[in-house]
Amino acid sequence: MHNFCCLPIADKTHEEEEEAQSRGSDPAHCIQAAQQCCGARMATDDVAQLADSLAKTGVEDGELSYKGQGRKLDDAQSVEEMVKEIQDFEGLQALRLEGNTVGVEAAQAIAKALETKSALKRCYWSDMFTGRLRSEIPPALNSLGDALMLAGARLTVLDLSDNAFGPDGVKGIENLLKSSTCYTLQELRLNNCGMGIGGGKILAAALIYNHKKSSAEGSPFSLKVFVAGRNRLENDGATALAQAFKLIGSMEEVHMPQNGINHAGVTALAEAMQHNPGLRILNLNDNTFTEKGAIAMAQALKHLRSIQVINFGDCLVRPEGAKAIAASVSEGLPILKELNLSYGEITEDAALVVAQAVKDKDQLEKLDLNGNCIGEDGCRALKVAMEAMNMSELLGSLSDDEGEPEDDDDDEDEDDDEEEDDDEEDVDEEEVEEEEEEEEEEEEEESTGNKFSTPQSAPRPPEVSSFLSFPSPDKLLKLGPTRALLIEQQVDVSDATKTAEAFLKIASVYKEDNNEVKNAVLDSIDGLLRKAFTSSSFQGYSFVSSLLVLLGLIKSEDKVKPVIVVPGHLQALEHVVRQDYFPKESVAVLEAFMSR
């Protein structure tokens, strides 16, 4: 039976209208009925229909690609055709599986086909486990890794980004990373995998082991590109990886944005970078340097004459930190192309010092000082200074400048922040002790949840309250690197309706063409919904019901006024349904209503 009562618009017969009215428009009834109506068909292709699947299988330069096809590969039968194509492909050098969802049995079948592919060099396996249980991922990765080792492959690229496999997933690739198959690895991409502190430590130990073993065999491990943004590595994870980088010494690109790292972890990374003289790109965006971390990083920059891109945006480098970085830029860095010190509480005098530091950088393409505390007069002075050096076109927008800081509050705020940093370090030490007693998956959650211990009954910080009342991209960015934690702490996730309302407010400011805003939105949404769906008291169906009511897709007896649907709502939903925390049955229900 069709559930016309659930639809915002429909051409109903008189009899159908009476039937709908007699049953009412209870959202819970609609949700359950929709799930029954969807049946097994939805479970097979719901995520694929919600996600964008445009890529076609293609063969080029030894590459076999199934990228973005949205296949749901559960067992050996579902991959028969793929296995045959892999077996028949002579000289296979690259295999793209990203944008599909691979179960344990399917991974084992694919692995069997890879056991003879000794020429394989590049594995593009990002976004490969959508909708899978976390317990399924390690055995799937182990099977694929064992096959590569058995084949005697020598990898140069391994991309497992956007798989959200947590610390257990890192264990699934641990043996592979330690093996001779990865002695030749040049690019390791693990962006947005939810590794946490525990996963970061396991990864660092594997890289160190690789380097020692490969060096003993006369072919030192020479990793060049490392990408691990949005992994909640925090200080301990970053410090462990810093030890690996220091030993490896061949890094050319390091991307670790949005990891909750403060000055202790930044200082460890700074020391490690000094031992990588070939470094070209350093991206630590949206971590918390403070002056201590910025000064340590400035010292490291003196040793990095090959660096071309420095992204310390949204890192709270502050005036003295900015001046220290400017001094290093002025003294060296001859081929610098981009310097990003945006959203760092930099004042007018510090901004002018930074401007003067880049005057002889012939290859400079962009200087980003937006979102600081330069003030209206300071912005004019900065523009005049850049014009005087014939570099005005290289200065980025200053439209989000915060204005001059309150002089009376500067010292007090600075002291408060330093105390907060020290408190965070103390909490991190306690978390390390907890990690030895808890499961790896719980480690990640506890290290994230305990870092900022705001009581549930505490009033909302004014910035969070302002954003949730009147959302805007600027307000979200101004919440700083801890925005996701602040929001999830202040929203009562035991209330499904409030959680749905908060989700839509955050999603409403999504901007596809602005990566900074886009990442801030998705990170905040992930934090909020992961906390909600992992809570034993959270009513998942109530959340989906409230969401559909607010989007105007079903009616409510409470006469709730729907929101104005904007592209950000749909973009955020497309992201959410790909995440491991979002239940499969809820995806099926959403697809049923969205398709109508």
Side-chain angles (χ1 to χ4, degrees):
M1 180 180 295
H2 296 291
N3 296 285
F4 293 110
C5 66
C6 303
L7 301 180
I9 54 173
D11 295 323
K12 305 178 187 176
T13 65
H14 178 69
E15 290 78 14
E16 290 166 344
E17 183 68 33
E18 288 183 347
E19 178 185 357
Q21 291 176 356
S22 67
R23 287 209 312 261
S25 299
D26 176 43
H29 167 78
C30 295
I31 295 294
Q32 293 169 359
Q35 186 180 12
Q36 294 171 0
C37 179
C38 294
R41 180 180 65 83
M42 288 302 173
T44 302
D45 58 6
D46 43 18
V47 175
Q49 291 178 354
L50 278 173
D52 184 16
S53 303
L54 299 177
K56 303 291 184 180
T57 300
V59 177
E60 183 177 357
D61 296 333
E63 178 180 291
L64 182 58
S65 176
Y66 301 94
K67 179 179 179 180
Q69 295 186 5
R71 299 191 187 190
K72 193 168 189 293
L73 308 172
D74 293 325
D75 49 33
Q77 183 178 0
S78 65
V79 293
E80 281 183 353
E81 180 183 351
M82 183 183 294
V83 166
K84 186 176 187 306
E85 290 175 346
I86 293 172
Q87 291 172 335
D88 294 343
F89 197 113
E90 296 294 334
L92 180 65
Q93 295 184 33
L95 179 62
R96 289 187 173 274
L97 296 175
E98 64 263 56
N100 299 283
T101 175
V102 183
V104 176
E105 291 183 19
Q108 291 171 343
I110 294 171
K112 190 68 177 175
L114 292 175
E115 289 180 355
T116 60
K117 301 301 175 180
S118 59
L120 187 62
K121 297 180 180 179
R122 303 183 302 279
C123 297
Y124 300 102
W125 295 348
S126 63
D127 191 17
M128 200 172 72
F129 298 108
T130 297
R132 299 292 170 183
L133 295 174
R134 183 166 291 184
S135 59
E136 294 181 80
I137 301 176
L141 290 173
N142 272 318
S143 297
L144 294 167
D146 289 347
L148 296 176
M149 290 185 280
L150 183 61
R154 292 293 184 267
L155 295 185
T156 58
V157 178
L158 178 60
D159 186 355
L160 288 165
S161 298
D162 300 317
N163 278 313
F165 47 47
D168 290 340
V170 184
K171 289 181 180 179
I173 59 172
E174 183 178 8
N175 290 335
L176 174 63
L177 291 173
K178 289 181 175 180
S179 73
S180 58
T181 294
C182 286
Y183 285 0
T184 51
L185 193 65
Q186 295 183 5
E187 296 185 19
L188 179 58
R189 300 177 181 272
L190 296 168
N191 200 59
N192 191 30
C193 287
M195 291 189 289
I197 294 173
K201 289 182 174 181
I202 296 169
L203 176 60
L207 297 179
I208 290 171
Y209 181 92
N210 182 323
H211 187 270
K212 290 181 177 178
K213 291 288 289 185
S214 60
S215 297
E217 295 183 20
S219 55
F221 178 45
S222 299
L223 187 67
K224 290 181 171 58
V225 177
F226 179 80
V227 181
R230 302 182 68 193
N231 271 289
R232 303 192 180 189
L233 295 169
E234 301 188 24
N235 281 345
D236 290 341
T239 300
L241 286 166
Q243 295 173 352
F245 298 151
K246 183 177 180 179
L247 183 64
I248 293 169
S250 58
M251 303 306 304
E252 295 182 4
E253 296 185 24
V254 174
H255 303 262
M256 296 174 65
Q258 291 184 292
N259 270 296
I261 307 168
N262 65 32
H263 69 79
V266 171
T267 299
L269 288 170
E271 183 182 352
M273 293 306 109
Q274 296 182 37
H275 296 268
N276 290 267
L279 191 69
R280 295 184 296 105
I281 300 175
L282 181 57
N283 176 8
L284 295 175
N285 187 283
D286 203 357
N287 290 291
T288 307
F289 282 35
T290 68
E291 291 178 357
K292 289 182 180 179
I295 291 172
M297 194 58 72
Q299 183 63 33
L301 291 176
K302 295 178 179 179
H303 301 265
L304 303 176
R305 293 186 59 81
S306 297
I307 199 144
Q308 298 178 17
V309 177
I310 299 171
N311 187 345
F312 297 159
D314 205 2
C315 285
L316 201 67
V317 297
R318 295 196 174 126
E320 294 306 312
K323 290 176 183 178
I325 292 170
S328 296
V329 170
S330 180
E331 294 169 9
L333 315 190
I335 58 174
L336 183 65
K337 292 184 177 180
E338 182 175 334
L339 176 60
N340 184 346
L341 296 177
S342 59
Y343 300 93
E345 292 190 357
I346 299 172
T347 52
E348 176 184 355
D349 61 329
L352 291 173
V353 171
V354 172
Q356 289 296 319
V358 301
K359 66 179 180 181
D360 295 324
K361 306 304 168 187
D362 296 336
Q363 297 188 35
L364 189 72
E365 297 175 0
K366 184 177 181 181
L367 172 63
D368 191 346
L369 292 171
N370 199 18
N372 283 296
C373 303
I374 302 172
E376 186 175 347
D377 292 339
C379 287
R380 280 197 292 267
L382 181 59
K383 291 176 181 178
V384 169
M386 294 296 287
E387 288 174 1
M389 297 185 292
N390 294 319
M391 302 177 78
S392 59
E393 72 281 0
L394 307 182
L395 180 64
S397 170
L398 298 173
S399 60
D400 290 340
D401 188 75
E402 298 281 348
E404 296 181 21
E406 294 289 338
D407 293 337
D408 294 339
D409 296 334
D410 281 351
D411 294 338
E412 182 179 349
D413 290 344
E414 191 167 327
D415 291 341
D416 289 345
D417 286 330
E418 293 297 337
E419 290 174 7
E420 182 179 339
D421 289 340
D422 293 338
D423 290 342
E424 288 174 1
E425 290 177 19
D426 293 337
V427 174
D428 285 338
E429 292 175 3
E430 295 171 6
E431 290 166 355
V432 172
E433 296 175 0
E434 292 172 359
E435 288 172 8
E436 297 174 355
E437 302 173 2
E438 301 293 332
E439 294 294 331
E440 289 290 343
E441 184 174 346
E442 295 174 347
E443 291 174 338
E444 181 186 2
E445 296 172 355
E446 289 182 8
S447 66
T448 301
N450 292 339
K451 185 179 177 186
F452 299 93
S453 53
T454 302
Q456 288 290 336
S457 59
R460 287 181 178 178
E463 298 83 4
V464 178
S465 177
S466 175
F467 170 73
L468 291 175
S469 298
F470 304 100
S472 74
D474 289 345
K475 288 181 181 178
L476 182 62
L477 294 177
K478 288 175 183 177
L479 292 178
T482 62
R483 61 180 69 87
L485 289 170
L486 288 172
I487 292 172
E488 66 184 78
Q489 286 174 345
Q490 298 306 317
V491 175
D492 182 8
V493 296
S494 64
D495 188 319
T497 298
K498 290 181 179 178
T499 304
E501 290 173 349
F503 164 77
L504 291 174
K505 288 179 179 179
I506 299 168
S508 68
V509 304
Y510 180 99
K511 289 187 176 182
E512 181 65 31
D513 58 352
N514 187 321
N515 285 334
E516 186 176 13
V517 174
K518 175 181 175 181
N519 290 335
V521 168
L522 297 183
D523 192 45
S524 300
I525 285 173
D526 284 341
L528 177 67
L529 295 189
R530 187 180 298 278
K531 180 179 180 181
F533 280 105
T534 55
S535 171
S536 59
S537 62
F538 188 68
Q539 300 293 325
Y541 275 124
S542 296
F543 170 80
V544 176
S545 172
S546 297
L547 193 61
L548 293 173
V549 168
L550 291 167
L551 290 173
L553 295 175
I554 60 177
K555 297 178 181 178
S556 170
E557 294 178 356
D558 297 332
K559 297 182 180 180
V560 176
K561 183 179 180 180
V563 301
I564 298 175
V565 179
V566 296
H569 293 145
L570 306 181
Q571 297 281 6
L573 275 175
E574 181 180 345
H575 167 81
V576 164
V577 299
R578 292 176 178 270
Q579 306 310 306
D580 62 319
Y581 57 73
F582 202 81
K584 295 179 183 178
E585 60 270 19
S586 295
V587 177
V589 173
L590 280 175
E591 200 282 332
F593 285 95
M594 298 298 288
S595 65
R596 299 192 182 194

